[in-house]
Amino acid sequence: MVLNKQMNAFVVENFQDRQLLTNILKRHRMDYSTPVIVSKYDLFDYSASEPDERFLTVLRALEFDDEWVKRQFIVGCNIEKVVLVRERDEGDRIMANGGPRNVKMCYTKECFKVGAARGLRTEGMNKYTGPPRLNKDLEPEIRRTEEKLRQLVQRKRACEEAVTQNDAAYKRLRARHSDLSRELSGIKSRIVRFQNEIQTLQESLQEEEPANIQFFLDQKQEIEAQIKAFVSQFRDVRGQEVKTREQLRTISEQLERLDQADEQRQMELNDYMQNVIKCERLKQKAIQDRDTVDKKISTFKERIESLRKKLEYVEKTVESWTQQAMESFPNPVDSDETPEALQREIGLLIKIKAEKEKSTGKTLEQAQDEAMEMLTAWTEADKTVRMMEGLIKKMRKALDDRTTKWVLLRKYIALSAMGHFQYYMHKRGDDGNLRFHHEKQKLEVRVSTGDQFKKGTRHKDSKSLSGGEKSFSQVSLLLALWQGIASPIVCLDEFDVYMDAVNRKQSMKMMMDSASESSSQYILITPQDASNMNPGPYVRVHRLADPERRQN
């Protein structure tokens, strides 16, 4: 019901084996209900997809002899996520609100499927009625049943002993009851007789005055005392009889319950014994089928071994004959003609060979050697040409890749230069833009000074800038371009000639900041005073001596 056709399936590692197995199943008419699964041998870890330990899954309920088969059931049926429960209510509680983590659905003992991808759904399933396909260990069940039977037999014996004892006590009480009943009857008769005698005496006393009244009064008191004693004895016997009847009724009810329980246990034992007998029959049938299959396999192996030996003998014979033929005729030719026709054709070819050798002035061997030399030279040349064509293709591809990367690098360097140029120009309150014309190999620099940048006017050409603005723009341009150049040493000469003190200070600070952020060494040469430079661990100032002028 849960595993469905997966129990009838075969698993192989490649499609060739699947095709071979499918053909075998078709020959035996077994392919309509026997799927063949193709899967690589992979013992993956499935512990992460299992639910909590308190849930009994199909995977935990079954024992597998082969780990690969276990993985196929996990992949095909999700047995690590299917929970088994006894009652439908328990399945509803588990699958409420979508179910716990790693729980896909529940199956109950009454063949109900509980759970769905969304919401809560219960579906009735058809119970599997075919032959059993799973091995079940019946020995513990048989031992438990035998132990229950032994306990029931002991309880039955104890109950039989108690019944025997109660029967004996009941018989003794019945005998005592009979004796007491007889005694009671005699006492009652004597009481009646005495009462009659008393009445008679009373009547006689009324008629005649007795001579001795005291004698009769004493006799009357004695008889009344005896009557009272007999009445008290009868009451005690009656109470014992009532208690005995209650005890007998309780014992009878217990015996009836024990008999019913014994019958129930006997029916269960008969069911277990029938199941054991069925399992034994199935086991014997499986053993017989296995023996039959083993015999067939042995017969097939013997036949295969015999055929293999015959094949080896035939192969050796063919190889021997082939070697003998190759010694006489080293160049075999496949033909369907008869030996006589081949002999005639050979004679004709020999005549044609002689005529060709006479007309060309070369023997067939010489022409064959010359042809082989030319063929070898052509093969080597063709191989060289193919290698060169392959090399050209690889070089062209490498050139295209390098060109593409170079274009991207050039684009990124241009974008980086434009961004850094605007960044450096903004430090002075200006704005700038770079336009790269790579095809024309030209660079257009557009700058907006502080006032123009605030008013939002258009950029102006570098030719219309003042000397300080032009020098600051050039320094910003050089710093922006140096960001895309990986050079260990960067040198700049007389960059601040046309700058005033304010622009010089800003430019020097900007270059020092750029130098501290870069791994290159900056060398700045200026004829101006470097008093605003502060030497430090990363900054050194070298001052040259003033030039000496010749005095005439």
Side-chain angles (χ1 to χ4, degrees):
M1 182 180 70
V2 180
L3 304 181
N4 203 3
K5 291 187 178 181
Q6 199 81 359
M7 294 294 296
N8 299 333
F10 290 89
V11 58
V12 296
E13 293 191 41
N14 51 63
F15 288 93
Q16 291 80 8
D17 292 344
R18 177 184 179 182
Q19 186 65 32
L20 179 61
L21 183 57
T22 303
N23 293 334
I24 294 173
L25 294 173
K26 285 182 179 179
R27 286 201 300 269
H28 294 81
R29 298 179 180 178
M30 297 172 61
D31 58 326
Y32 64 94
S33 63
T34 307
V36 181
I37 303 171
V38 180
S39 176
K40 291 294 183 182
Y41 190 84
D42 182 14
L43 301 181
F44 56 86
D45 185 14
Y46 55 84
S47 59
S49 60
E50 286 190 287
D52 192 75
E53 292 292 337
R54 59 191 177 93
F55 297 113
L56 176 63
T57 61
V58 178
L59 176 61
R60 294 167 182 168
L62 299 178
E63 294 182 1
F64 292 86
D65 296 333
D66 194 312
E67 291 295 327
W68 189 29
V69 175
K70 180 192 292 185
R71 265 64 175 188
Q72 298 310 311
F73 277 100
I74 291 173
V75 173
C77 301
N78 294 321
I79 61 174
E80 83 282 9
K81 298 181 180 179
V82 178
V83 178
L84 301 178
V85 296
R86 290 185 176 274
E87 302 296 335
R88 178 177 171 182
D89 295 339
E90 184 179 357
D92 292 336
R93 288 194 301 270
I94 293 174
M95 296 307 296
N97 299 323
R101 187 178 68 89
N102 292 333
V103 175
K104 188 175 182 181
M105 64 185 65
C106 292
Y107 285 91
T108 66
K109 187 178 179 181
E110 293 81 11
C111 299
F112 283 104
K113 175 184 174 183
V114 182
R118 293 183 179 178
L120 183 61
R121 184 179 65 184
T122 303
E123 180 181 356
M125 307 294 291
N126 295 326
K127 189 175 182 180
Y128 177 74
T129 58
R133 296 179 291 183
L134 295 175
N135 293 330
K136 182 179 180 181
D137 189 6
L138 298 176
E139 292 298 329
E141 191 69 24
I142 294 173
R143 287 196 294 270
R144 288 194 296 269
T145 306
E146 290 177 350
E147 181 65 23
K148 290 182 180 179
L149 178 61
R150 186 180 61 79
Q151 294 176 359
L152 292 174
V153 170
Q154 292 179 355
R155 291 177 60 184
K156 181 180 178 182
R157 289 176 181 174
C159 292
E160 289 176 351
E161 292 177 358
V163 169
T164 304
Q165 294 176 1
N166 292 327
D167 288 339
Y170 178 71
K171 290 178 180 179
R172 289 195 300 270
L173 292 173
R174 289 298 298 268
R176 178 65 176 165
H177 181 267
S178 299
D179 294 339
L180 292 175
S181 297
R182 286 191 297 271
E183 291 180 1
L184 181 62
S185 299
I187 291 170
K188 287 181 177 180
S189 62
R190 289 175 63 186
I191 290 171
V192 171
R193 188 173 65 251
F194 287 146
Q195 288 177 352
N196 293 331
E197 290 178 358
I198 290 170
Q199 186 176 3
T200 303
L201 290 174
Q202 287 178 353
E203 290 177 354
S204 61
L205 286 174
Q206 291 177 358
E207 294 175 357
E208 298 178 358
E209 186 71 24
N212 192 0
I213 297 174
Q214 186 65 35
F215 172 76
F216 290 108
L217 291 174
D218 294 337
Q219 190 175 4
K220 177 183 178 182
Q221 292 177 356
E222 183 180 357
I223 291 171
E224 288 177 353
Q226 289 180 359
I227 290 171
K228 290 180 180 180
F230 287 142
V231 170
S232 62
Q233 291 180 1
F234 177 75
R235 289 175 180 174
D236 295 337
V237 170
R238 176 64 67 179
Q240 291 180 0
E241 182 181 4
V242 172
K243 291 180 180 179
T244 304
R245 287 182 181 277
E246 291 178 356
Q247 292 178 357
L248 288 175
R249 186 171 62 255
T250 304
I251 292 171
S252 300
E253 291 176 356
Q254 291 179 356
L255 288 175
E256 186 176 356
R257 287 195 297 270
L258 290 174
D259 290 337
Q260 292 177 357
D262 188 15
E263 291 178 359
Q264 184 67 25
R265 296 294 186 276
Q266 189 66 32
M267 292 174 63
E268 292 179 357
L269 179 61
N270 292 334
D271 293 337
Y272 285 130
M273 293 302 295
Q274 289 178 2
N275 292 331
V276 170
I277 292 171
K278 290 180 181 179
C279 292
E280 288 293 334
R281 289 176 181 173
L282 293 174
K283 179 180 178 182
Q284 294 296 330
K285 186 176 182 303
I287 292 173
Q288 292 177 0
D289 294 340
R290 186 195 64 187
D291 295 338
T292 304
V293 172
D294 291 340
K295 290 180 181 179
K296 289 182 179 180
I297 291 173
S298 301
T299 304
F300 287 149
K301 287 182 178 179
E302 292 176 358
R303 290 179 61 187
I304 290 171
E305 186 65 23
S306 176
L307 293 173
R308 188 180 62 79
K309 291 181 179 179
K310 290 182 180 180
L311 179 61
E312 290 179 354
Y313 175 74
V314 172
E315 288 179 350
K316 289 180 180 179
T317 304
V318 171
E319 185 178 359
S320 176
W321 289 356
T322 303
Q323 289 179 357
Q324 293 177 5
M326 289 295 292
E327 291 177 357
S328 301
F329 304 97
N331 297 321
V333 178
D334 296 333
S335 178
D336 297 332
E337 298 181 0
T338 61
E340 292 78 9
L342 290 174
Q343 193 65 35
R344 289 195 299 271
E345 189 174 354
I346 289 171
L348 180 61
L349 291 174
I350 290 173
K351 290 181 181 179
I352 295 173
K353 174 186 175 184
E355 293 177 356
K356 293 294 183 182
E357 289 178 351
K358 184 177 180 181
S359 61
T360 57
K362 294 181 181 179
T363 62
L364 181 61
E365 288 76 11
Q366 292 175 351
Q368 186 176 1
D369 293 339
E370 186 176 353
M372 288 301 296
E373 291 177 358
M374 296 299 293
L375 181 61
T376 302
W378 180 85
T379 303
E380 292 179 355
D382 183 66
K383 183 178 180 181
T384 302
V385 171
R386 291 179 182 274
M387 289 176 61
M388 293 303 296
E389 288 178 351
L391 180 61
I392 290 171
K393 289 181 180 179
K394 291 180 180 179
M395 294 296 291
R396 185 176 290 110
K397 185 177 182 302
L399 179 60
D400 294 338
D401 294 341
R402 289 176 65 87
T403 302
T404 303
K405 292 180 180 179
W406 176 76
V407 171
L408 289 175
L409 178 61
R410 185 180 65 180
K411 178 180 178 182
Y412 294 149
I413 290 175
L415 291 174
S416 176
M418 286 189 289
H420 282 91
F421 182 70
Q422 289 181 349
Y423 169 72
Y424 292 131
M425 292 299 294
H426 285 173
K427 285 189 175 183
R428 190 175 178 271
D430 299 338
D431 187 22
N433 187 19
L434 298 179
R435 295 182 181 179
F436 289 86
H437 302 281
H438 298 291
E439 293 79 8
K440 299 179 180 180
Q441 296 184 359
K442 289 184 178 181
L443 173 61
E444 182 180 353
V445 181
R446 309 291 293 180
V447 176
S448 293
T449 58
D451 297 335
Q452 294 175 340
F453 179 60
K454 292 178 181 179
K455 295 178 182 179
T457 56
R458 297 176 60 185
H459 295 80
K460 58 183 179 179
D461 193 4
S462 59
K463 296 179 181 180
S464 62
L465 298 175
S466 64
E469 292 174 348
K470 187 180 296 185
S471 299
F472 186 82
S473 301
Q474 291 176 354
V475 171
S476 299
L477 176 61
L478 290 175
L479 292 176
L481 294 176
W482 285 349
Q483 294 294 330
I485 299 174
S487 177
I489 298 175
V490 177
C491 185
L492 187 60
D493 185 18
E494 295 185 358
F495 62 93
D496 56 349
V497 175
Y498 301 103
M499 291 185 183
D500 54 10
V502 176
N503 288 331
R504 185 182 301 112
K505 184 178 180 180
Q506 291 180 352
S507 299
M508 290 296 294
K509 184 177 182 304
M510 186 169 59
M511 285 189 289
M512 295 304 297
D513 294 338
S514 177
S516 63
E517 295 174 358
S518 176
S519 60
S520 301
Q521 182 179 359
Y522 280 53
I523 299 175
L524 306 177
I525 303 173
T526 176
Q528 304 293 336
D529 184 13
S531 58
N532 57 346
M533 297 293 296
N534 298 320
Y538 301 105
V539 179
R540 292 186 180 181
V541 179
H542 298 276
R543 289 185 175 87
L544 300 180
D546 296 332
E548 295 181 357
R549 304 289 183 180
R550 288 186 179 182
Q551 296 179 359
N552 295 327

